[in-house]
Amino acid sequence: MKRLNCKLIVSDFDGTLADSNNNVGEDVIRAIEEYRSLGGIFAVCTGRILPSILPRIRAMGLSGLVAASQGSTIADIATGRIIREAGLSCGDAAEICAALEEFGASVQVYTTYGFYTDIPAGNEFLALYERITGITAAHTDKKLSEFVGDNCVKAAKVASLCFAEDRQRLYDYLLEKFGDRFEITCSASVLVEVSPRGETKGSAVKFLSEYYGIPLEETVAVGDNLNDLAMIEAAGTGIAVGNAEEALKSRADFVTVTNDEGAVKNVIEQFGYSYE
């Protein structure tokens, strides 16, 4: 007989729950279903915005809450109703956009339900990103710094799609410029993101813990990138997948197999329950 160990498992999506082909394996889905049948709660916490993640997790049959936009948006999966939401002021968002423009980087402004970019429509890099996220970018004739300021766009976060070789330099630039005011992180090898101060995946894990009435000591969080660091440190047990950034692995309590080897299934079997 199986006995539930940890009561809440929170997983990143891209690079963790999903494999390198952006698919969630049937064996992983079955493991989640079995864990939930024992009374465990499984939640996804992702950098994706709400309309990007909802179709994916609904297709998996998940219910309850999901944390999107680096944890700053928390919503009910079934209805899409937002439970908790935070964002950047339009002045702050415009300032961040201007700094990216000055640096010569691309600019993406994410709202709760979509995103704007200054990367031209039809760009191959952008088209790939749109296919992965399932969201088509919006464009404007103005610089995004001007557009955001003039229209007081409520941004969940501001980000830059970049080449992997340019990520560290851009990250360092933003950290030096804004590190004392905003959260600066990376959610992929080609993404640097700026979010509201204090709004991290770690704060989302704490919210989920309180919402479900589960002590943090009885939670597990698993991820692959730098934006998952706050999450694995907030949880009682923090796990990095085998394909994770080395900086995340060094701070994790455990390192499991890669996302292509069914990392989340392995985490559930190792930490979710035991046999009596």
Side-chain angles (χ1 to χ4, degrees):
M1 180 181 294
K2 293 175 182 176
R3 179 178 61 83
L4 197 66
N5 284 343
C6 73
K7 297 180 179 179
L8 171 63
I9 297 177
V10 183
S11 175
D12 170 51
F13 189 80
D14 296 285
T16 302
L17 185 57
D19 62 24
S20 298
N21 293 317
N22 197 31
N23 297 317
V24 181
E26 289 298 324
D27 56 339
V28 175
I29 294 174
R30 283 194 298 271
I32 294 170
E33 290 172 345
E34 182 170 16
Y35 172 69
R36 294 177 64 209
S37 73
L38 294 170
I41 296 170
F42 185 87
V44 168
C45 185
T46 178
R48 291 188 183 218
I49 58 175
L50 202 55
S52 177
I53 192 60
L54 279 179
R56 300 300 307 273
I57 58 178
R58 283 171 175 166
M60 293 172 58
L62 293 186
S63 60
L65 300 186
V66 61
S69 298
Q70 306 297 11
S72 64
T73 302
I74 296 179
D76 179 78
I77 294 171
T79 64
R81 181 174 67 90
I82 293 175
I83 307 295
R84 177 180 176 274
E85 186 176 28
L88 298 163
S89 71
C90 55
D92 285 343
E95 183 183 359
I96 296 164
C97 289
L100 287 169
E101 289 162 355
E102 182 180 349
F103 187 82
S106 74
V107 185
Q108 286 74 51
V109 178
Y110 294 82
T111 66
T112 304
Y113 298 108
F115 77 101
Y116 296 89
T117 185
D118 60 3
I119 300 176
N123 175 278
E124 184 178 349
F125 193 31
L126 176 62
L128 174 61
Y129 182 70
E130 290 173 326
R131 286 197 298 274
I132 291 172
T133 62
I135 305 293
T136 301
H139 292 83
T140 174
D141 293 334
K142 293 183 177 181
K143 286 185 176 181
L144 276 174
S145 57
E146 297 175 1
F147 177 77
V148 167
D150 292 347
N151 295 277
C152 203
V153 174
K154 184 180 179 183
K157 61 180 181 177
V158 176
S160 180
L161 270 169
C162 61
F163 293 112
E165 58 267 28
D166 297 327
R167 192 186 79 168
Q168 188 63 48
R169 188 167 64 93
L170 178 56
Y171 173 81
D172 291 343
Y173 165 76
L174 290 171
L175 190 64
E176 181 178 357
K177 195 170 187 67
F178 295 123
D180 60 338
R181 296 170 55 195
F182 308 112
E183 301 292 342
I184 316 298
T185 192
C186 302
S187 58
S189 62
V190 294
L191 267 174
V192 183
E193 306 194 14
V194 186
S195 302
R197 192 71 172 175
E199 296 298 328
T200 67
K201 289 190 175 188
S203 62
V205 167
K206 292 175 183 177
F207 179 89
L208 292 171
S209 169
E210 292 175 7
Y211 180 88
Y212 288 115
I214 298 170
L216 279 171
E217 310 85 71
E218 298 179 25
T219 66
V220 168
V222 54
D224 75 305
N225 224 302
L226 298 182
N227 64 326
D228 297 314
L229 181 57
M231 180 169 74
I232 70 166
E233 290 188 333
T237 303
I239 302 172
V241 294
N243 52 290
E245 296 262 351
E246 290 302 321
L248 191 74
K249 288 181 179 179
S250 68
R251 303 283 284 275
D253 296 311
F254 296 93
V255 177
T256 187
V257 299
T258 70
N259 61 329
D260 289 332
E261 297 171 296
V264 170
K265 175 178 180 289
N266 191 72
V267 167
I268 289 171
E269 292 174 346
Q270 188 171 357
F271 298 94
Y273 52 77
S274 58
Y275 291 88
E276 292 184 333

